[in-house]
Structure formats: structure tokens, C-alpha cells
Amino acid sequence: MTQDALLKMLEADARLSDQQIADRLGLQAADVAARRAALEEEGRIVGYQAIVNDDTEGVSAIIEVRCTPERGGGFNHLAQRIARFSEVRSCYLISGGFDLLVQVEAKTLIEVARFVSEKLSSMEGVLSTATHFRLKTYKQNGLLFGEEVNHDRLIVAP
């Protein structure tokens, strides 16, 4: 069994037991458990979580952040400070016109606005932000949301 096969199975369904994985791959459950533990120890597997469809509750926003890199640390120090805020769900260093991509969640638009204006934009080193609000989720972490439309006839387009 390759590590990639185990990782793909866990990405698709983290609730799979070692025995279920072993049955699918023709291995012993103890071997799967040992390989899973090794991947966790190496830091390849950093956690397990449920993917929740939260389109009906709260507000999710993606914020692009342009910032000044620090001497000797680049963007790391500022990104780590931003990632510590409770509103922040994800924080990435990205390429392109902005430096960081920050995903936040809050109960209302006002809470997101306060986070951006009072916490994020006022941080030393943050030059500018651009906030985008999630309107609907179609796919997250490889999982499709919603029902597929089944058409009885072919769609005719002009």
C-alpha cells in the first residue's frame, strides 16, 4: 500500500476505520494503523474534521491581504498573527497581486466588517485588503454540494 492510497481514502472519508481501509486494500488493520500513525507523526496528516454545509448560517468571506514582508521573516510573522484570530478559518501565502488569502467566518456582515476594519487593516504591515463574500458553495474539499439536476431532455441553447 502506498501512502498516497491511504491519504486519498482518508481525504475522501476520514471516518473510515483501519479495518475498512485494510479490507479495501487487502491489508491487515494493524498495518494500516501503523502507517496512519506514522503519517500523523510526520505531520502529513494534521487533523480530521467534518465538512459542514454552512451556507444557511453565518457569513463567510475571503480576504486578500497585501502586506509588507519583514526582514528576516518575510510574511511568516504577520501571517501567524493573523491566523490566531478566532474569526480566521484559513490563512495562506499566495502568489499574484496580494500576499495572503484569509478565510473568515462570522455571524453577520457587520462582524466581518469590524474584523477587517478594527483588527486586520489596523495591523502594522498590512497595506490593503479586498474582501469577497461567499454567496453559495458548490464544492468544498472535493465534495459536491446540492442535488444534481437530471434533465429528461437535452438542453437546447441558441
mmCIF file of all heavy atoms in Angstrom, residues 25-72:
data_model
loop_
_atom_site.group_PDB
_atom_site.id
_atom_site.type_symbol
_atom_site.label_atom_id
_atom_site.label_comp_id
_atom_site.label_asym_id
_atom_site.label_seq_id
_atom_site.Cartn_x
_atom_site.Cartn_y
_atom_site.Cartn_z
ATOM 1 N N LEU A 25 -7.947 -2.480 0.714
ATOM 2 C CA LEU A 25 -6.607 -2.555 0.133
ATOM 3 C C LEU A 25 -5.968 -3.940 0.271
ATOM 4 O O LEU A 25 -4.841 -4.141 -0.173
ATOM 5 C CB LEU A 25 -5.695 -1.502 0.776
ATOM 6 C CG LEU A 25 -6.113 -0.045 0.567
ATOM 7 C CD1 LEU A 25 -5.220 0.895 1.352
ATOM 8 C CD2 LEU A 25 -6.082 0.297 -0.921
ATOM 9 N N GLY A 26 -6.674 -4.859 0.904
ATOM 10 C CA GLY A 26 -6.139 -6.205 1.065
ATOM 11 C C GLY A 26 -4.986 -6.276 2.047
ATOM 12 O O GLY A 26 -4.031 -7.014 1.825
ATOM 13 N N LEU A 27 -5.064 -5.526 3.123
ATOM 14 C CA LEU A 27 -4.013 -5.484 4.137
ATOM 15 C C LEU A 27 -4.563 -5.858 5.501
ATOM 16 O O LEU A 27 -5.767 -6.048 5.667
ATOM 17 C CB LEU A 27 -3.408 -4.072 4.207
ATOM 18 C CG LEU A 27 -2.760 -3.528 2.946
ATOM 19 C CD1 LEU A 27 -2.454 -2.050 3.106
ATOM 20 C CD2 LEU A 27 -1.482 -4.301 2.646
ATOM 21 N N GLN A 28 -3.685 -5.908 6.473
ATOM 22 C CA GLN A 28 -4.078 -6.118 7.864
ATOM 23 C C GLN A 28 -4.378 -4.755 8.496
ATOM 24 O O GLN A 28 -3.697 -3.761 8.210
ATOM 25 C CB GLN A 28 -2.960 -6.810 8.647
ATOM 26 C CG GLN A 28 -2.638 -8.208 8.152
ATOM 27 C CD GLN A 28 -3.813 -9.154 8.362
ATOM 28 O OE1 GLN A 28 -4.458 -9.148 9.408
ATOM 29 N NE2 GLN A 28 -4.100 -9.950 7.335
ATOM 30 N N ALA A 29 -5.367 -4.715 9.383
ATOM 31 C CA ALA A 29 -5.734 -3.459 10.042
ATOM 32 C C ALA A 29 -4.560 -2.892 10.847
ATOM 33 O O ALA A 29 -4.378 -1.676 10.918
ATOM 34 C CB ALA A 29 -6.948 -3.668 10.943
ATOM 35 N N ALA A 30 -3.741 -3.749 11.425
ATOM 36 C CA ALA A 30 -2.589 -3.280 12.212
ATOM 37 C C ALA A 30 -1.584 -2.541 11.325
ATOM 38 O O ALA A 30 -0.981 -1.544 11.753
ATOM 39 C CB ALA A 30 -1.918 -4.463 12.902
ATOM 40 N N ASP A 31 -1.416 -3.012 10.072
ATOM 41 C CA ASP A 31 -0.508 -2.325 9.140
ATOM 42 C C ASP A 31 -1.036 -0.949 8.786
ATOM 43 O O ASP A 31 -0.284 0.032 8.718
ATOM 44 C CB ASP A 31 -0.325 -3.144 7.861
ATOM 45 C CG ASP A 31 0.422 -4.447 8.110
ATOM 46 O OD1 ASP A 31 1.193 -4.500 9.090
ATOM 47 O OD2 ASP A 31 0.218 -5.389 7.330
ATOM 48 N N VAL A 32 -2.336 -0.852 8.554
ATOM 49 C CA VAL A 32 -2.957 0.434 8.237
ATOM 50 C C VAL A 32 -2.822 1.383 9.429
ATOM 51 O O VAL A 32 -2.476 2.557 9.265
ATOM 52 C CB VAL A 32 -4.434 0.258 7.833
ATOM 53 C CG1 VAL A 32 -5.119 1.601 7.685
ATOM 54 C CG2 VAL A 32 -4.539 -0.555 6.553
ATOM 55 N N ALA A 33 -3.074 0.869 10.628
ATOM 56 C CA ALA A 33 -2.975 1.706 11.828
ATOM 57 C C ALA A 33 -1.555 2.238 12.001
ATOM 58 O O ALA A 33 -1.354 3.413 12.344
ATOM 59 C CB ALA A 33 -3.391 0.910 13.060
ATOM 60 N N ALA A 34 -0.569 1.380 11.745
ATOM 61 C CA ALA A 34 0.827 1.806 11.883
ATOM 62 C C ALA A 34 1.180 2.874 10.846
ATOM 63 O O ALA A 34 1.862 3.860 11.161
ATOM 64 C CB ALA A 34 1.754 0.599 11.744
ATOM 65 N N ARG A 35 0.710 2.701 9.622
ATOM 66 C CA ARG A 35 1.007 3.680 8.567
ATOM 67 C C ARG A 35 0.299 5.000 8.826
ATOM 68 O O ARG A 35 0.850 6.068 8.586
ATOM 69 C CB ARG A 35 0.648 3.110 7.209
ATOM 70 C CG ARG A 35 1.591 1.984 6.831
ATOM 71 C CD ARG A 35 1.245 1.343 5.541
ATOM 72 N NE ARG A 35 2.056 0.135 5.359
ATOM 73 C CZ ARG A 35 2.240 -0.459 4.217
ATOM 74 N NH1 ARG A 35 1.700 0.030 3.124
ATOM 75 N NH2 ARG A 35 2.966 -1.545 4.138
ATOM 76 N N ARG A 36 -0.946 4.923 9.315
ATOM 77 C CA ARG A 36 -1.677 6.146 9.664
ATOM 78 C C ARG A 36 -0.943 6.887 10.782
ATOM 79 O O ARG A 36 -0.755 8.104 10.722
ATOM 80 C CB ARG A 36 -3.102 5.816 10.087
ATOM 81 C CG ARG A 36 -3.926 7.060 10.381
ATOM 82 C CD ARG A 36 -5.212 6.795 11.135
ATOM 83 N NE ARG A 36 -6.113 5.875 10.496
ATOM 84 C CZ ARG A 36 -7.380 6.147 10.184
ATOM 85 N NH1 ARG A 36 -7.872 7.343 10.445
ATOM 86 N NH2 ARG A 36 -8.157 5.249 9.643
ATOM 87 N N ALA A 37 -0.516 6.171 11.809
ATOM 88 C CA ALA A 37 0.205 6.788 12.933
ATOM 89 C C ALA A 37 1.510 7.423 12.458
ATOM 90 O O ALA A 37 1.871 8.518 12.906
ATOM 91 C CB ALA A 37 0.480 5.744 14.019
ATOM 92 N N ALA A 38 2.204 6.765 11.534
ATOM 93 C CA ALA A 38 3.451 7.324 11.002
ATOM 94 C C ALA A 38 3.186 8.616 10.234
ATOM 95 O O ALA A 38 3.939 9.587 10.367
ATOM 96 C CB ALA A 38 4.140 6.298 10.103
ATOM 97 N N LEU A 39 2.116 8.646 9.456
ATOM 98 C CA LEU A 39 1.760 9.855 8.701
ATOM 99 C C LEU A 39 1.372 10.997 9.641
ATOM 100 O O LEU A 39 1.680 12.164 9.379
ATOM 101 C CB LEU A 39 0.630 9.561 7.715
ATOM 102 C CG LEU A 39 1.024 8.701 6.516
ATOM 103 C CD1 LEU A 39 -0.221 8.197 5.782
ATOM 104 C CD2 LEU A 39 1.917 9.482 5.574
ATOM 105 N N GLU A 40 0.709 10.675 10.733
ATOM 106 C CA GLU A 40 0.362 11.696 11.720
ATOM 107 C C GLU A 40 1.625 12.224 12.393
ATOM 108 O O GLU A 40 1.777 13.430 12.587
ATOM 109 C CB GLU A 40 -0.607 11.120 12.757
ATOM 110 C CG GLU A 40 -1.982 10.831 12.201
ATOM 111 C CD GLU A 40 -2.863 10.051 13.152
ATOM 112 O OE1 GLU A 40 -2.386 9.598 14.213
ATOM 113 O OE2 GLU A 40 -4.055 9.865 12.820
ATOM 114 N N GLU A 41 2.537 11.315 12.732
ATOM 115 C CA GLU A 41 3.787 11.700 13.390
ATOM 116 C C GLU A 41 4.645 12.585 12.481
ATOM 117 O O GLU A 41 5.268 13.542 12.937
ATOM 118 C CB GLU A 41 4.563 10.444 13.797
ATOM 119 C CG GLU A 41 5.826 10.728 14.566
ATOM 120 C CD GLU A 41 5.586 11.281 15.958
ATOM 121 O OE1 GLU A 41 4.521 11.006 16.548
ATOM 122 O OE2 GLU A 41 6.465 12.005 16.439
ATOM 123 N N GLU A 42 4.663 12.271 11.180
ATOM 124 C CA GLU A 42 5.439 13.054 10.207
ATOM 125 C C GLU A 42 4.829 14.422 9.936
ATOM 126 O O GLU A 42 5.472 15.285 9.363
ATOM 127 C CB GLU A 42 5.528 12.302 8.871
ATOM 128 C CG GLU A 42 6.330 11.039 8.902
ATOM 129 C CD GLU A 42 6.171 10.237 7.624
ATOM 130 O OE1 GLU A 42 5.666 10.769 6.607
ATOM 131 O OE2 GLU A 42 6.549 9.053 7.637
ATOM 132 N N GLY A 43 3.569 14.606 10.292
ATOM 133 C CA GLY A 43 2.890 15.865 10.015
ATOM 134 C C GLY A 43 2.198 15.902 8.669
ATOM 135 O O GLY A 43 1.706 16.950 8.257
ATOM 136 N N ARG A 44 2.135 14.785 7.955
ATOM 137 C CA ARG A 44 1.398 14.734 6.681
ATOM 138 C C ARG A 44 -0.095 14.790 6.948
ATOM 139 O O ARG A 44 -0.835 15.426 6.226
ATOM 140 C CB ARG A 44 1.730 13.465 5.888
ATOM 141 C CG ARG A 44 3.118 13.362 5.381
ATOM 142 C CD ARG A 44 3.425 13.764 3.958
ATOM 143 N NE ARG A 44 2.451 13.753 2.911
ATOM 144 C CZ ARG A 44 2.364 12.836 1.949
ATOM 145 N NH1 ARG A 44 3.172 11.807 1.941
ATOM 146 N NH2 ARG A 44 1.470 12.962 0.999
ATOM 147 N N ILE A 45 -0.555 14.076 7.969
ATOM 148 C CA ILE A 45 -1.944 14.177 8.417
ATOM 149 C C ILE A 45 -1.920 15.091 9.634
ATOM 150 O O ILE A 45 -1.319 14.764 10.646
ATOM 151 C CB ILE A 45 -2.540 12.803 8.791
ATOM 152 C CG1 ILE A 45 -2.573 11.878 7.581
ATOM 153 C CG2 ILE A 45 -3.935 12.977 9.384
ATOM 154 C CD1 ILE A 45 -3.043 10.459 7.889
ATOM 155 N N VAL A 46 -2.571 16.240 9.509
ATOM 156 C CA VAL A 46 -2.533 17.212 10.606
ATOM 157 C C VAL A 46 -3.836 17.283 11.381
ATOM 158 O O VAL A 46 -3.909 17.964 12.396
ATOM 159 C CB VAL A 46 -2.143 18.628 10.096
ATOM 160 C CG1 VAL A 46 -0.727 18.620 9.562
ATOM 161 C CG2 VAL A 46 -3.117 19.108 9.044
ATOM 162 N N GLY A 47 -4.880 16.600 10.917
ATOM 163 C CA GLY A 47 -6.136 16.601 11.652
ATOM 164 C C GLY A 47 -7.241 15.949 10.846
ATOM 165 O O GLY A 47 -7.073 15.626 9.669
ATOM 166 N N TYR A 48 -8.357 15.749 11.505
ATOM 167 C CA TYR A 48 -9.549 15.165 10.895
ATOM 168 C C TYR A 48 -10.715 16.087 11.219
ATOM 169 O O TYR A 48 -10.810 16.594 12.334
ATOM 170 C CB TYR A 48 -9.827 13.775 11.473
ATOM 171 C CG TYR A 48 -8.700 12.797 11.282
ATOM 172 C CD1 TYR A 48 -7.686 12.681 12.223
ATOM 173 C CD2 TYR A 48 -8.650 11.991 10.162
ATOM 174 C CE1 TYR A 48 -6.646 11.780 12.050
ATOM 175 C CE2 TYR A 48 -7.614 11.085 9.976
ATOM 176 C CZ TYR A 48 -6.616 10.986 10.928
ATOM 177 O OH TYR A 48 -5.591 10.098 10.750
ATOM 178 N N GLN A 49 -11.601 16.297 10.246
ATOM 179 C CA GLN A 49 -12.738 17.167 10.512
ATOM 180 C C GLN A 49 -13.909 16.849 9.594
ATOM 181 O O GLN A 49 -13.725 16.270 8.525
ATOM 182 C CB GLN A 49 -12.357 18.638 10.369
ATOM 183 C CG GLN A 49 -11.873 19.020 9.000
ATOM 184 C CD GLN A 49 -11.438 20.472 8.919
ATOM 185 O OE1 GLN A 49 -11.833 21.147 8.004
ATOM 186 N NE2 GLN A 49 -10.643 20.941 9.851
ATOM 187 N N ALA A 50 -15.075 17.236 10.051
ATOM 188 C CA ALA A 50 -16.274 17.091 9.231
ATOM 189 C C ALA A 50 -16.401 18.308 8.321
ATOM 190 O O ALA A 50 -16.032 19.417 8.703
ATOM 191 C CB ALA A 50 -17.507 16.983 10.126
ATOM 192 N N ILE A 51 -16.917 18.092 7.122
ATOM 193 C CA ILE A 51 -17.195 19.198 6.214
ATOM 194 C C ILE A 51 -18.665 19.534 6.375
ATOM 195 O O ILE A 51 -19.536 18.710 6.114
ATOM 196 C CB ILE A 51 -16.867 18.814 4.759
ATOM 197 C CG1 ILE A 51 -15.375 18.512 4.642
ATOM 198 C CG2 ILE A 51 -17.273 19.931 3.805
ATOM 199 C CD1 ILE A 51 -14.976 17.934 3.323
ATOM 200 N N VAL A 52 -18.941 20.744 6.831
ATOM 201 C CA VAL A 52 -20.294 21.154 7.176
ATOM 202 C C VAL A 52 -20.813 22.122 6.129
ATOM 203 O O VAL A 52 -20.119 23.060 5.746
ATOM 204 C CB VAL A 52 -20.304 21.831 8.574
ATOM 205 C CG1 VAL A 52 -21.696 22.301 8.929
ATOM 206 C CG2 VAL A 52 -19.766 20.874 9.622
ATOM 207 N N ASN A 53 -22.022 21.892 5.657
ATOM 208 C CA ASN A 53 -22.659 22.822 4.729
ATOM 209 C C ASN A 53 -23.258 23.945 5.552
ATOM 210 O O ASN A 53 -24.337 23.814 6.110
ATOM 211 C CB ASN A 53 -23.740 22.110 3.914
ATOM 212 C CG ASN A 53 -24.368 23.025 2.885
ATOM 213 O OD1 ASN A 53 -24.049 24.197 2.814
ATOM 214 N ND2 ASN A 53 -25.263 22.478 2.091
ATOM 215 N N ASP A 54 -22.547 25.044 5.639
ATOM 216 C CA ASP A 54 -22.998 26.164 6.467
ATOM 217 C C ASP A 54 -23.478 27.343 5.639
ATOM 218 O O ASP A 54 -23.428 28.482 6.074
ATOM 219 C CB ASP A 54 -21.910 26.591 7.446
ATOM 220 C CG ASP A 54 -20.615 26.971 6.756
ATOM 221 O OD1 ASP A 54 -20.541 26.879 5.520
ATOM 222 O OD2 ASP A 54 -19.667 27.365 7.461
ATOM 223 N N ASP A 55 -23.964 27.068 4.412
ATOM 224 C CA ASP A 55 -24.494 28.138 3.572
ATOM 225 C C ASP A 55 -25.693 28.833 4.198
ATOM 226 O O ASP A 55 -25.995 29.970 3.882
ATOM 227 C CB ASP A 55 -24.901 27.602 2.192
ATOM 228 C CG ASP A 55 -23.708 27.447 1.257
ATOM 229 O OD1 ASP A 55 -22.612 27.924 1.605
ATOM 230 O OD2 ASP A 55 -23.878 26.848 0.187
ATOM 231 N N THR A 56 -26.401 28.158 5.088
ATOM 232 C CA THR A 56 -27.619 28.722 5.652
ATOM 233 C C THR A 56 -27.364 29.521 6.925
ATOM 234 O O THR A 56 -28.259 30.188 7.414
ATOM 235 C CB THR A 56 -28.633 27.610 5.957
ATOM 236 O OG1 THR A 56 -28.041 26.691 6.884
ATOM 237 C CG2 THR A 56 -29.027 26.883 4.689
ATOM 238 N N GLU A 57 -26.156 29.434 7.470
ATOM 239 C CA GLU A 57 -25.873 30.131 8.723
ATOM 240 C C GLU A 57 -24.590 30.936 8.614
ATOM 241 O O GLU A 57 -23.602 30.467 8.071
ATOM 242 C CB GLU A 57 -25.731 29.132 9.869
ATOM 243 C CG GLU A 57 -27.016 28.403 10.193
ATOM 244 C CD GLU A 57 -26.837 27.473 11.374
ATOM 245 O OE1 GLU A 57 -25.873 27.662 12.135
ATOM 246 O OE2 GLU A 57 -27.660 26.578 11.530
ATOM 247 N N GLY A 58 -24.609 32.120 9.155
ATOM 248 C CA GLY A 58 -23.404 32.919 9.227
ATOM 249 C C GLY A 58 -22.945 33.478 7.898
ATOM 250 O O GLY A 58 -23.594 33.336 6.867
ATOM 251 N N VAL A 59 -21.796 34.117 7.948
ATOM 252 C CA VAL A 59 -21.207 34.781 6.793
ATOM 253 C C VAL A 59 -19.772 34.296 6.653
ATOM 254 O O VAL A 59 -19.029 34.242 7.628
ATOM 255 C CB VAL A 59 -21.223 36.315 6.991
ATOM 256 C CG1 VAL A 59 -20.537 37.018 5.846
ATOM 257 C CG2 VAL A 59 -22.646 36.803 7.158
ATOM 258 N N SER A 60 -19.413 33.937 5.448
ATOM 259 C CA SER A 60 -18.045 33.525 5.166
ATOM 260 C C SER A 60 -17.468 34.497 4.148
ATOM 261 O O SER A 60 -18.120 34.835 3.166
ATOM 262 C CB SER A 60 -18.025 32.103 4.606
ATOM 263 O OG SER A 60 -16.716 31.695 4.329
ATOM 264 N N ALA A 61 -16.247 34.929 4.394
ATOM 265 C CA ALA A 61 -15.603 35.878 3.493
ATOM 266 C C ALA A 61 -14.173 35.431 3.231
ATOM 267 O O ALA A 61 -13.534 34.798 4.070
ATOM 268 C CB ALA A 61 -15.595 37.277 4.105
ATOM 269 N N ILE A 62 -13.705 35.768 2.051
ATOM 270 C CA ILE A 62 -12.317 35.550 1.679
ATOM 271 C C ILE A 62 -11.696 36.930 1.532
ATOM 272 O O ILE A 62 -12.221 37.777 0.799
ATOM 273 C CB ILE A 62 -12.211 34.744 0.374
ATOM 274 C CG1 ILE A 62 -12.807 33.357 0.594
ATOM 275 C CG2 ILE A 62 -10.771 34.674 -0.092
ATOM 276 C CD1 ILE A 62 -12.947 32.541 -0.659
ATOM 277 N N ILE A 63 -10.611 37.143 2.234
ATOM 278 C CA ILE A 63 -9.975 38.459 2.242
ATOM 279 C C ILE A 63 -8.573 38.337 1.658
ATOM 280 O O ILE A 63 -7.765 37.535 2.124
ATOM 281 C CB ILE A 63 -9.895 39.029 3.670
ATOM 282 C CG1 ILE A 63 -11.296 39.037 4.301
ATOM 283 C CG2 ILE A 63 -9.273 40.422 3.662
ATOM 284 C CD1 ILE A 63 -11.287 39.291 5.793
ATOM 285 N N GLU A 64 -8.321 39.117 0.625
ATOM 286 C CA GLU A 64 -6.984 39.206 0.064
ATOM 287 C C GLU A 64 -6.254 40.308 0.824
ATOM 288 O O GLU A 64 -6.808 41.390 1.034
ATOM 289 C CB GLU A 64 -7.047 39.553 -1.419
ATOM 290 C CG GLU A 64 -7.756 38.491 -2.246
ATOM 291 C CD GLU A 64 -8.051 38.960 -3.657
ATOM 292 O OE1 GLU A 64 -8.511 40.114 -3.824
ATOM 293 O OE2 GLU A 64 -7.814 38.181 -4.590
ATOM 294 N N VAL A 65 -5.044 40.020 1.254
ATOM 295 C CA VAL A 65 -4.283 40.965 2.067
ATOM 296 C C VAL A 65 -2.945 41.248 1.378
ATOM 297 O O VAL A 65 -2.211 40.334 1.029
ATOM 298 C CB VAL A 65 -4.014 40.399 3.481
ATOM 299 C CG1 VAL A 65 -3.243 41.412 4.327
ATOM 300 C CG2 VAL A 65 -5.314 40.000 4.164
ATOM 301 N N ARG A 66 -2.673 42.527 1.183
ATOM 302 C CA ARG A 66 -1.363 42.951 0.684
ATOM 303 C C ARG A 66 -0.605 43.473 1.900
ATOM 304 O O ARG A 66 -1.130 44.294 2.663
ATOM 305 C CB ARG A 66 -1.516 44.048 -0.363
ATOM 306 C CG ARG A 66 -0.184 44.415 -1.026
ATOM 307 C CD ARG A 66 -0.350 45.403 -2.165
ATOM 308 N NE ARG A 66 -1.030 44.771 -3.292
ATOM 309 C CZ ARG A 66 -2.183 45.202 -3.820
ATOM 310 N NH1 ARG A 66 -2.775 46.268 -3.341
ATOM 311 N NH2 ARG A 66 -2.725 44.569 -4.833
ATOM 312 N N CYS A 67 0.615 42.976 2.094
ATOM 313 C CA CYS A 67 1.362 43.383 3.275
ATOM 314 C C CYS A 67 2.849 43.535 2.970
ATOM 315 O O CYS A 67 3.325 43.120 1.920
ATOM 316 C CB CYS A 67 1.138 42.399 4.427
ATOM 317 S SG CYS A 67 1.341 40.671 4.026
ATOM 318 N N THR A 68 3.549 44.133 3.909
ATOM 319 C CA THR A 68 4.979 44.357 3.778
ATOM 320 C C THR A 68 5.723 43.201 4.431
ATOM 321 O O THR A 68 5.492 42.907 5.602
ATOM 322 C CB THR A 68 5.379 45.667 4.486
ATOM 323 O OG1 THR A 68 4.605 46.728 3.951
ATOM 324 C CG2 THR A 68 6.850 45.962 4.322
ATOM 325 N N PRO A 69 6.614 42.537 3.693
ATOM 326 C CA PRO A 69 7.386 41.460 4.322
ATOM 327 C C PRO A 69 8.355 42.025 5.351
ATOM 328 O O PRO A 69 8.853 43.144 5.203
ATOM 329 C CB PRO A 69 8.125 40.812 3.154
ATOM 330 C CG PRO A 69 8.136 41.830 2.073
ATOM 331 C CD PRO A 69 6.944 42.719 2.285
ATOM 332 N N GLU A 70 8.594 41.259 6.399
ATOM 333 C CA GLU A 70 9.524 41.688 7.441
ATOM 334 C C GLU A 70 10.912 41.156 7.156
ATOM 335 O O GLU A 70 11.064 40.054 6.626
ATOM 336 C CB GLU A 70 9.048 41.170 8.800
ATOM 337 C CG GLU A 70 7.714 41.731 9.216
ATOM 338 C CD GLU A 70 7.216 41.111 10.515
ATOM 339 O OE1 GLU A 70 7.752 40.061 10.935
ATOM 340 O OE2 GLU A 70 6.287 41.673 11.095
ATOM 341 N N ARG A 71 11.908 41.907 7.518
ATOM 342 C CA ARG A 71 13.293 41.477 7.335
ATOM 343 C C ARG A 71 13.534 40.244 8.207
ATOM 344 O O ARG A 71 13.204 40.219 9.383
ATOM 345 C CB ARG A 71 14.236 42.587 7.755
ATOM 346 C CG ARG A 71 15.703 42.235 7.545
ATOM 347 C CD ARG A 71 16.592 43.379 7.833
ATOM 348 N NE ARG A 71 16.246 44.453 6.883
ATOM 349 C CZ ARG A 71 16.749 45.652 6.901
ATOM 350 N NH1 ARG A 71 17.620 45.981 7.812
ATOM 351 N NH2 ARG A 71 16.394 46.559 6.010
ATOM 352 N N GLY A 72 14.066 39.218 7.588
ATOM 353 C CA GLY A 72 14.397 38.003 8.319
ATOM 354 C C GLY A 72 13.245 37.034 8.518
ATOM 355 O O GLY A 72 13.450 35.925 8.966
#
